[in-house]
């Protein structure tokens, strides 16, 4: 009797463990097969590229055919570089097969609501303006299936605030997927949890990031998430050193590269990021009031450069002159 009871107990425990394991792995995965990326700029096209290379069916959406053609050109050029590095110059056939397969996974559209109607995942990568993002997601929420996952690639705006434009049910399926520029090369994705994001949705987003060859890190929906919360104050302090006249720009950058092992100095990095983007982030944080005042104090040098239209590498001039 005791032996029978023990066997029954062992069987019950084994059954429970198997069911628990199945439940745990099943909660991970809303299968993501089709992806819509809104925005065909550098970030959006990069996300489209890595998803297509991972064999997802991707629709790239923007407001004009010209924007879409520009995005396609960016992707084609970038994929060719990836293929050359992956297979080597001597393997032209393998390169071309890789390129053709990836490009065959990409469709384009100027109709966002129509595109998301058949999508498992939506990734937004448009202008960093909360009103524009909210208007977009309000329209998409009405067009997308109830189980479609929504995400924003924002680097500076609260996911929770963006998601307010959608239904309460959608907010449970609304997270952040913050890729880094250039997307094909950078290995990190910050997967942002809001307070209401479901665990299984987070798991699906982390799995998607891994499948595109990235390493996901989990972070809460706080200003700057992880990377920018640390990096932006660092770059801003370099501008304040300039403001005070404590050191010259070149000396600041050389000091941090040789003294701290940084691959780029903080001012070089700010030029790469875009000085207007820097100012937008720091002004937004100051207005939001959730970060210590000393860390969001504006810089006269930064503000002056932005007013002059000297925005960094993208404009040909920032802290440094790139036109020469």
């Amino acid at each position: 009797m005791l032996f029978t009871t023990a066997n029954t107990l062992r069987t019950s425990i084994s059954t429970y463990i198997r069911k628990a394991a199945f439940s745990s792995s099943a909660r991970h995965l809303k299968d993501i097969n089709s992806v819509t990326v809104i925005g065909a700029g550098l970030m959006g096209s990069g996300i489209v590229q890595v998803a297509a290379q991972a064999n997802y069916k991707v629709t790239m959406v923007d407001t004009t055919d010209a924007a879409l053609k520009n995005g396609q050109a960016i992707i084609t050029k970038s994929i060719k570089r990836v293929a050359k590095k992956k297979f080597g110059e001597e393997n032209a056939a393998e390169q071309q097969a890789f390129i053709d397969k990836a490009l065959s996974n990409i469709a384009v559209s100027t109709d966002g609501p129509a595109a998301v109607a058949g999508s498992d995942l939506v990734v937004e990568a448009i202008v960093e303006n909360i009103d524009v993002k909210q208007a977009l997601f309000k329209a998409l929420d009405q067009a997308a299936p109830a189980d479609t996952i929504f995400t924003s690639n924002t680097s500076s705006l609260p996911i929770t605030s963006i998601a307010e434009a959608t239904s309460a049910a959608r907010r449970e399926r609304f997270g952040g997927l913050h890729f880094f520029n250039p997307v094909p090369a950078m290995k990190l994705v910050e997967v942002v949890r809001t307070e209401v994001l479901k665990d299984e949705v987070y798991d699906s987003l982390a799995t998607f990031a891994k499948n595109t060859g990235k390493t996901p890190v989990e972070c809460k929906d706080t200003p700057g998430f992880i990377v920018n919360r640390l990096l932006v104050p660092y770059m801003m302090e370099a501008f304040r050193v300039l403001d005070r006249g404590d050191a010259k720009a070149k000396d600041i950058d050389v000091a941090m590269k040789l003294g701290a092992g940084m691959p780029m100095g903080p001012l070089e990095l700010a030029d790469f990021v875009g000085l207007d983007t820097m100012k937008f982030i720091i002004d937004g944080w100051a207005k939001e009031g959730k970060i210590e005042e000393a860390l969001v104090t504006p810089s006269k040098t930064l503000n002056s450069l932005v007013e002059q239209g000297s925005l960094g590498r993208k404009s040909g001039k920032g802290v440094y002159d790139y036109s020469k």
Side-chain angles (χ1 to χ4, degrees):
M1 181 70 169
L2 184 59
F3 179 79
T4 303
T5 302
N7 272 347
T8 302
L9 181 59
R10 280 195 295 271
T11 301
S12 297
I13 291 171
S14 296
T15 301
Y16 173 80
I17 291 171
R18 285 196 302 273
K19 286 183 177 179
F22 175 80
S23 173
S24 176
S25 79
R27 78 167 189 144
H28 268 262
L29 299 175
K30 165 183 169 58
D31 288 335
I32 294 174
N33 297 302
S34 57
V35 181
T36 296
V37 178
I38 311 292
L42 279 175
M43 291 302 299
S45 61
I47 296 166
V48 170
Q49 178 184 330
V50 297
Q53 288 173 186
N55 211 31
Y56 289 98
K57 297 298 182 184
V58 193
T59 302
M60 180 168 64
V61 175
D62 213 307
T63 55
T64 66
D65 289 333
L68 291 170
K69 286 180 181 178
N70 182 63
Q72 288 174 303
I74 293 170
I75 291 168
T76 301
K77 185 177 179 180
S78 179
I79 285 184
K80 287 179 179 178
R81 287 197 300 267
V82 171
K84 187 175 181 180
K85 184 176 180 180
K86 185 180 180 71
F87 297 102
E89 290 189 23
E90 66 280 6
N91 295 311
E94 287 89 343
Q95 285 186 46
Q96 195 59 50
F98 175 82
I99 292 166
D100 291 344
K101 184 174 182 181
L103 293 179
S104 73
N105 287 328
I106 301 171
V108 297
S109 176
T110 56
D111 189 339
V116 303
S119 290
D120 301 314
L121 171 66
V122 175
V123 185
E124 169 269 310
I126 62 171
V127 62
E128 287 286 78
N129 180 302
I130 195 162
D131 294 330
V132 175
K133 289 181 189 289
Q134 286 182 331
L136 169 69
F137 278 115
K138 183 176 182 179
L140 299 184
D141 188 31
Q142 298 170 15
D147 64 345
T148 298
I149 299 172
F150 279 13
T151 66
S152 175
N153 181 61
T154 183
S155 61
S156 62
L157 298 173
I159 299 296
T160 300
S161 298
I162 298 171
E164 286 174 358
T166 65
S167 66
R170 183 76 68 190
R171 289 173 211 164
E172 296 179 346
R173 308 184 68 77
F174 200 130
L177 271 181
H178 182 213
F179 289 81
F180 289 78
N181 187 35
V183 177
M186 299 294 279
K187 295 298 184 183
L188 182 68
V189 175
E190 291 176 321
V191 184
V192 186
R193 273 187 183 270
T194 67
E195 291 185 1
V196 299
L197 185 73
K198 288 186 174 182
D199 287 342
E200 60 267 27
V201 176
Y202 172 83
D203 290 340
S204 291
L205 292 177
T207 298
F208 171 74
K210 290 176 185 176
N211 288 346
T212 62
K214 309 302 180 187
T215 298
V217 292
E218 178 181 352
C219 52
K220 292 183 178 180
D221 187 20
T222 56
F225 313 134
I226 298 172
V227 173
N228 283 337
R229 179 63 180 83
L230 296 170
L231 195 60
V232 171
Y234 161 67
M235 291 188 285
M236 284 301 299
E237 191 58 29
F239 277 104
R240 295 187 195 106
V241 172
L242 276 182
D243 288 345
R244 295 191 298 267
D246 293 345
K248 296 177 181 178
K250 184 177 179 181
D251 292 330
I252 293 169
D253 283 337
V254 169
M256 293 310 296
K257 286 189 286 187
L258 300 185
M262 300 294 189
M264 296 176 73
L267 299 171
E268 290 175 308
L269 182 58
D271 272 353
F272 181 79
V273 169
L275 302 188
D276 54 335
T277 301
M278 285 281 300
K279 178 173 165 52
F280 176 84
I281 292 171
I282 211 71
D283 289 351
W285 287 359
K287 184 178 180 180
E288 196 175 354
K290 292 183 179 180
I291 293 179
E292 298 91 328
E293 186 177 352
L295 297 179
V296 296
T297 301
S299 159
K300 292 180 181 179
T301 303
L302 175 63
N303 288 350
S304 176
L305 287 168
V306 173
E307 287 172 10
Q308 296 167 25
S310 298
L311 308 181
R313 284 184 175 272
K314 62 186 174 184
S315 68
K317 187 178 180 182
V319 177
Y320 299 100
D321 189 346
Y322 301 96
S323 63
K324 298 177 182 177

